[in-house]
Amino acid sequence: MPSQPDLDSLYSKLMNEEDARVCKDIPDAACTDVPRNFFQQVLANTLTSLGDTLTNPKTTLAWLMGVVGAPVALIAWLVPLRESGSMLPQLFIASYIRRFSYRKGVWVLGSLLQAAALLAMGAAAAVTTGALAGGLIILCLIVFSLARGLCSVASKDVIGKTVPKTRRGRLNGLSTTLSGWLALAFGVYCLIWPPADDEMLFYAALLVGAALLWVLAALVYRGIDEAPGATEGAGNGLREAIGRISLLRDDKPFRRFVITRALLLCSALSAPYYVVMAQDLEAGFGMLGAFLVANGLASSLSAMVWGRMSDKSSKQVLIRAAFIASLLGPLVIALHHFAVLPQALQAWLFPVAFFILGVAHSGVRVGRKTYVLDMAGGNKRTDYVAVSNSVIGLILLATGLFGLLSTLIGAAGMLLLLSGIGLLGALLAFSLPEVQQD
């Protein structure tokens, strides 16, 4: 890391405000360490986000399952387990995390467990085949997802204690931007020098490299200067989890946020249907590379902007991003159906739309992360994160049933359905209270 004066100067320029040393909603003891803590968390989050790209269940892990001859039924569980497996247990994990006044150690443990799971995954693929290999990879993925849950709950609390309010959006935005540029570089590399399907060394190196990224992130995160936090409420995991579910009944603003977040899942769930519609035009591998580049560009160019906007009003970010994502689908379907564009440009409609969707999804992610961070402090923040993530994880598993609808209404119909759901989320977001003006 650069020297403290250099970090102070860079932090002040990044905030672009005279009161860059503001210490709102964090312990007084943490004020002098804000710049260093800010950039250490940016670096750690960037490393793990890049690792997520290298081990994407839709690409790397799906290929790995195919190459070892795993049954298709197991391959179908990769995305649901990766996304929801880290969310569902958070309601129970949170009660144990609350026992620790210092929670960065929980994040470090989760990061190291994710690294170990990836290494074990590679070993399973190397020495076994068929259903056994697939089953072992799934088990490793479950461990990986549970470890992600540890990091998710702990990170929100550490950010809340080390980074002031009105700065957290920029932390999330900067991390997403940096990882987006790195992901873009990876996409360009695969576009120019695509690996052969039987190039096992390349994919093994991806797993090992990703594991090393999580180890490095753990070392960086360990250096954060965290003030002790509240430990009240720690107890039996099941009893505490059942008690915290009452937040959905008793806390109206939080309940509205969770419902809004659930409806805004459309920004993530609709992405595959743009790819499917492009494939229907018999687009080649170059078009797939275009989607990878579009996704990387979207995060790189928009996340920091969304982050600054979220520090002013994360509610407005959710509204604007949701409207972009939900109105995009009908527009693209209309342009495609009525063949408005010349034939030569028709196929490129979808990568361009994918880029715009990526911008909107980045806004949804940054906005909702900043919103839940600023809703409350102390253990209540941990409860909010745990309850909302657990509920969303359950909903994500249920969205697997959408696959049954796709056979009836097709990709375009699914895109319209998800756009309608997203529009409801955008409208509901208007009723959310402002949290940055408290």
Side-chain angles (χ1 to χ4, degrees), residues 11-12 15-23 164 166-167 170:
Y11 180 78
S12 297
M15 297 303 117
N16 196 27
E17 299 172 12
E18 292 182 1
D19 60 339
R21 303 293 292 184
V22 66
C23 288
T166 73
R167 303 290 181 265
R170 266 165 279 197

Side-chain angles (χ1 to χ4, degrees), residues 273 400-414:
Y273 298 104
L401 297 175
F402 274 16
L404 300 176
L405 280 176
S406 64
T407 60
L408 300 175
I409 61 178
M414 288 299 301

Side-chain angles (χ1 to χ4, degrees), residues 294-318:
N295 188 55
L297 274 177
S299 297
S300 305
L301 297 178
S302 67
M304 195 59 192
V305 177
W306 288 125
R308 286 185 177 275
M309 293 171 62
S310 292
D311 284 333
K312 295 179 180 178
S313 174
S314 51
K315 169 186 172 178
Q316 292 301 319
V317 166
L318 287 173

Side-chain angles (χ1 to χ4, degrees), residues 91-96 99 234-244:
L91 200 57
F92 306 94
I93 293 172
S95 63
Y96 294 101
R99 298 178 181 181
N236 179 270
L238 180 59
R239 185 170 60 249
E240 293 294 328
I242 294 173
R244 282 195 296 277

Side-chain angles (χ1 to χ4, degrees), residues 43 52 84 105 128 138 212 241 245 269 284 304 342 372 382 400 402 429:
L43 178 56
D52 279 331
S84 63
T128 60
I138 289 292
L212 292 177
I245 284 290
L269 296 176
M304 195 59 192
V372 75
T382 307
F402 274 16

Side-chain angles (χ1 to χ4, degrees), residues 229-395:
T231 58
E232 295 87 357
N236 179 270
L238 180 59
R239 185 170 60 249
E240 293 294 328
I242 294 173
R244 282 195 296 277
I245 284 290
S246 63
L247 282 171
L248 293 172
R249 181 191 67 230
D250 302 331
D251 194 328
K252 184 178 179 180
F254 175 65
R255 182 173 67 247
R256 283 185 177 273
F257 167 74
V258 173
I259 296 173
T260 301
R261 181 182 172 186
L263 293 172
L264 296 187
L265 285 172
C266 71
S267 66
L269 296 176
S270 60
Y273 298 104
Y274 287 92
V275 178
V276 170
M277 292 177 71
Q279 287 177 329
D280 289 341
L281 297 176
E282 298 183 357
F285 181 80
M287 191 59 66
L288 178 59
F291 277 105
L292 292 173
V293 171
N295 188 55
L297 274 177
S299 297
S300 305
L301 297 178
S302 67
M304 195 59 192
V305 177
W306 288 125
R308 286 185 177 275
M309 293 171 62
S310 292
D311 284 333
K312 295 179 180 178
S313 174
S314 51
K315 169 186 172 178
Q316 292 301 319
V317 166
L318 287 173
I319 292 172
R320 293 167 186 172
F323 271 118
I324 294 172
S326 57
L327 296 178
L328 178 66
L331 175 62
V332 170
I333 290 173
L335 291 174
H336 174 60
H337 180 75
F338 294 107
V340 175
L341 298 176
Q343 186 66 31
L345 297 178
Q346 189 72 16
W348 289 96
L349 167 66
F350 297 101
V352 172
F354 199 78
F355 168 78
I356 298 173
L357 180 69
V359 170
H361 181 58
S362 179
V364 170
R365 283 175 55 85
V366 172
R368 58 99 173 161
K369 285 182 179 180
T370 307
Y371 193 92
V372 75
L373 276 172
D374 290 346
M375 282 187 78
N379 278 335
K380 198 171 185 180
R381 180 187 295 116
T382 307
D383 292 342
Y384 278 177
V385 172
V387 173
S388 63
N389 281 355
S390 295
V391 171
I392 296 301
L394 188 62
I395 292 173

